[in-house]
């Protein structure tokens, strides 16, 4: 898939930034589980959080394809940094931009779009992930105080507890619908709300640089005007947010595959074996690396085709299917790519001093976050008319 000269020029800008400002530090940040606020703010200064936001909120009014290019290029250097941008825009800014009132947008967007603060998106709970309809967190409207009172807990929430996190959009039950199912709404809870507690960060397999916390809400009160979008439309809002997010996760996965490819090509040309020849002369090494190139090209084509559909205003069903296909293929290919890369590096691939070990640990979550591979297969099967559940 060929992108425009403008997209390729933007790719070079982000690549230069990532190689100069991120690459030299990632091994240490990863080892220390350090969330680099200054680097994230520098990404903000470069305009990365505002790529798709309207100019009136400080954004560049750019397209979704450009956002995917930025996520891919950051992800090629480090997956945690890529997900910080992906979640910051896709899960933090987008729900407010898409569903917020003018007043809410004016209040919250400028700092988020400038990348000087971060917003998170709290859907998953200890008892509900893929089954998002069964969330337990509740928000009750206290009409005398004109406030929502939020109680419950959220789990695995990205960008939710960093020192630059300013708010979390929370999916909560706000009542029951006529058909007996839960009425779900989205409520914005600012980070300094009494009763909103950010629990200690998780000790994760990968994404060590990314900020992920459990959250709890104990009579957390926010003004009634913190309802985001229409009351009772929260579930539909979250689902549409995730459709876009899946394309962005696919871009992150493409970055991972490309990193594996680049690292392997270089290493296979340098490392020697019997007869003092590079290991890349051996088909047992060269062929799996050739497969990485196929994964990168195929993954990129699916991802940017889905992004082009989004930019072109494609219909909901077409976009949803393209997003699921791109996410499913690229995330599974990324996991395979990191396994190949680790093998090409031999024992060094198992050592943290080489980046392939970090990519190996980081890739697995791509098959889980923003809808597992099984959920993507359900959605794709349904798009074929199958009654999959
Ligand atoms: C690092 C990290 C960051 C995250 N960030 C966020 C965030 O910012 N915001 C947020 O809201 N969530 C976030 N999540 C949560 C993530 O989206 C969920 O973990 C994911 O949706 C899966 O939910 P679960 O973990 O509850 O697994 P479950 O839903 O319990 O699934 C367990 C297994 O069962 C399978 N399964 C479940 N239901 C079905 C079914 N009907 N058919 C077939 N198989 C099924 C799943 O595919 C999976 O293999 C994050 C998770 C992680 C690990």
């Amino acid at each position: 898939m060929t992108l425009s000269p403008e997209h390729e020029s933007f790719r070079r800008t982000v690549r230069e930034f990532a190689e100069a400002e991120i690459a030299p530090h990632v091994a240490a940040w990863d080892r220390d589980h350090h969330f680099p606020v200054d680097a994230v703010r520098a990404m903000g200064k470069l305009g990365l959080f505002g790529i798709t936001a309207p100019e009136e909120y400080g954004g560049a009014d750019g397209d979704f394809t450009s956002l995917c290019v930025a996520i891919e290029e950051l992800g090629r250097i480090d997956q945690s940094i890529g997900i910080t941008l992906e979640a910051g825009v896709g899960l933090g800014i987008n729900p407010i931009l898409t569903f917020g009132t003018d007043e809410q947008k004016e209040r919250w967007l400028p700092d988020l779009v400038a990348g000087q603060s971060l917003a998170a998106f709290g859907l998953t709970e200890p008892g509900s992930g893929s089954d998002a309809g069964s969330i337990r967190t509740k928000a009750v409207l206290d009409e005398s105080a004109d406030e929502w009172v939020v109680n419950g807990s959220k789990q695995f929430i990205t960008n939710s507890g960093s020192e630059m996190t300013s708010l979390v959009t929370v999916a909560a039950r706000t009542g029951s619908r006529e058909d007996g199912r839960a009425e779900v709404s989205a409520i914005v809870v600012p980070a300094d709300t009494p009763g909103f507690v950010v629990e200690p960060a998780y000790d994760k397999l990968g994404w060590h640089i990314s900020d992920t916390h459990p959250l709890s809400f104990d009579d957390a009160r926010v003004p009634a005007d913190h309802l985001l979008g229409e009351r009772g439309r929260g579930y539909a809002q979250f689902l549409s947010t995730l459709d876009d997010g899946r394309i962005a996760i696919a871009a992150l996965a493409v970055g991972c595959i490309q990193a594996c490819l680049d690292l392997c090509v270089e290493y296979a040309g340098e490392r020697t074996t019997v007869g003092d020849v590079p290991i890349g002369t051996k088909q047992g090494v060269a062929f799996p690396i050739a497969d990485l190139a196929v994964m990168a090209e195929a993954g990129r084509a699916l991802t940017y085709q889905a992004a082009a559909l989004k930019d072109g205003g494609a219909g909901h069903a077409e976009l949803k299917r393209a997003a699921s296909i791109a996410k499913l293929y690229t995330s599974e290919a990324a996991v395979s790519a990191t396994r190949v890369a680790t093998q090409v590096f031999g024992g060094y691939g198992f050592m943290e001093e080489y980046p392939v070990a970090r990519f190996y640990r980081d890739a697995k979550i791509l098959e889980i976050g923003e809808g597992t591979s099984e959920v993507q297969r359900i959605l794709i099967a349904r798009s074929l008319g199958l009654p999959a559940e």
Side-chain angles (χ1 to χ4, degrees):
M1 174 122 191
T2 310
L3 297 182
S4 70
E6 291 76 21
H7 287 127
E8 291 304 340
S9 155
F10 179 60
R11 180 188 293 284
R12 283 192 293 280
T13 302
V14 181
R15 182 171 289 202
E16 279 166 22
F17 170 84
E19 288 180 345
E21 307 297 330
I22 306 290
H25 311 289
V26 279
W29 292 339
D30 182 82
R31 187 192 57 227
D32 299 340
H33 294 230
H34 172 68
F35 181 78
V37 169
D38 290 346
V40 176
R41 291 208 163 118
M43 285 156 56
K45 292 212 171 78
L46 190 62
L48 301 187
F49 287 89
I51 290 171
T52 53
E55 286 172 12
E56 61 185 303
Y57 303 115
D61 225 348
D63 58 14
F64 190 74
T65 298
S66 300
L67 176 63
C68 289
V69 167
I71 293 168
E72 181 193 332
E73 286 303 321
L74 293 176
R76 181 179 154 270
I77 297 300
D78 182 70
Q79 292 280 289
S80 295
I81 296 293
I83 192 62
T84 300
L85 176 65
E86 191 280 334
V89 177
L91 304 179
I93 292 172
N94 280 357
I96 297 171
L97 195 54
T98 312
F99 306 111
T101 61
D102 287 346
E103 201 266 322
Q104 289 172 329
K105 292 183 202 176
E106 278 157 26
R107 191 186 320 165
W108 289 314
L109 284 181
D111 272 1
L112 298 173
V113 166
Q116 301 311 298
S117 66
L118 284 171
F121 171 92
L123 177 61
T124 306
E125 298 187 357
S128 91
S130 306
D131 182 14
S134 67
I135 59 166
R136 290 272 166 268
T137 295
K138 261 192 185 172
V140 176
L141 188 59
D142 175 351
E143 287 183 15
S144 61
D146 207 24
E147 288 175 338
W148 291 101
V149 186
V150 184
N151 278 286
S153 51
K154 294 289 171 184
Q155 176 162 269
F156 308 149
I157 308 304
T158 303
N159 289 344
S160 64
S162 75
E163 65 178 76
M164 56 187 292
T165 301
S166 61
L167 61 92
V168 180
T169 302
V170 175
R173 288 173 171 239
T174 48
S176 298
R177 301 189 330 181
E178 279 174 7
D179 61 7
R181 288 163 61 199
E183 176 194 274
V184 174
S185 305
I187 314 267
V188 172
V189 179
D192 58 0
T193 304
F196 169 31
V197 176
V198 176
E199 309 285 352
Y202 291 99
D203 187 8
K204 305 187 294 278
L205 170 69
W207 280 8
H208 288 171
I209 300 172
S210 165
D211 178 69
T212 326
H213 298 262
L215 309 175
S216 63
F217 303 88
D218 183 10
D219 283 339
R221 287 178 167 268
V222 298
D225 69 3
H226 284 35
L227 174 74
L228 191 63
E230 207 182 310
R231 180 172 175 164
R233 296 285 300 155
Y235 191 55
Q237 291 171 8
F238 284 115
L239 290 185
S240 78
T241 298
L242 288 175
D243 286 341
D244 295 353
R246 283 167 188 160
I247 307 172
I249 292 283
L252 184 60
V254 171
C256 179
I257 299 166
Q258 186 65 46
C260 291
L261 175 60
D262 295 345
L263 290 164
C264 284
V265 168
E266 187 183 351
Y267 190 74
E270 288 170 355
R271 175 77 174 170
T272 54
T273 186
V274 184
D276 206 22
V277 294
I279 56 172
T281 56
K282 307 295 174 190
Q283 292 187 355
V285 174
F287 284 8
I289 299 176
D291 290 344
L292 295 184
V294 177
M295 290 177 200
E297 297 242 345
R300 198 169 279 120
L302 288 174
T303 301
Y304 289 100
Q305 185 180 314
L309 287 174
K310 162 99 186 129
D311 285 329
H316 175 67
E318 190 183 6
L319 184 63
K320 195 177 186 66
R321 178 183 148 98
S324 283
I325 290 176
K327 203 250 176 193
L328 177 63
Y329 175 76
T330 56
S331 58
E332 295 196 343
V335 171
S336 300
T338 60
R339 187 165 33 76
V340 167
T342 309
Q343 193 67 18
V344 166
F345 273 68
Y348 289 115
F350 200 62
M351 300 298 145
E352 290 291 348
E353 64 190 282
Y354 284 88
V356 288
R358 177 165 41 85
F359 280 105
Y360 186 86
R361 290 187 285 96
D362 284 346
K364 182 61 202 170
I365 180 60
L366 295 166
E367 294 182 323
I368 297 169
E370 300 204 25
T372 63
S373 289
E374 291 75 17
V375 167
Q376 305 315 318
R377 287 192 166 87
I378 291 172
L379 296 173
I380 296 163
R382 282 185 192 155
S383 78
L384 301 170
L386 294 167
E389 32 175 73

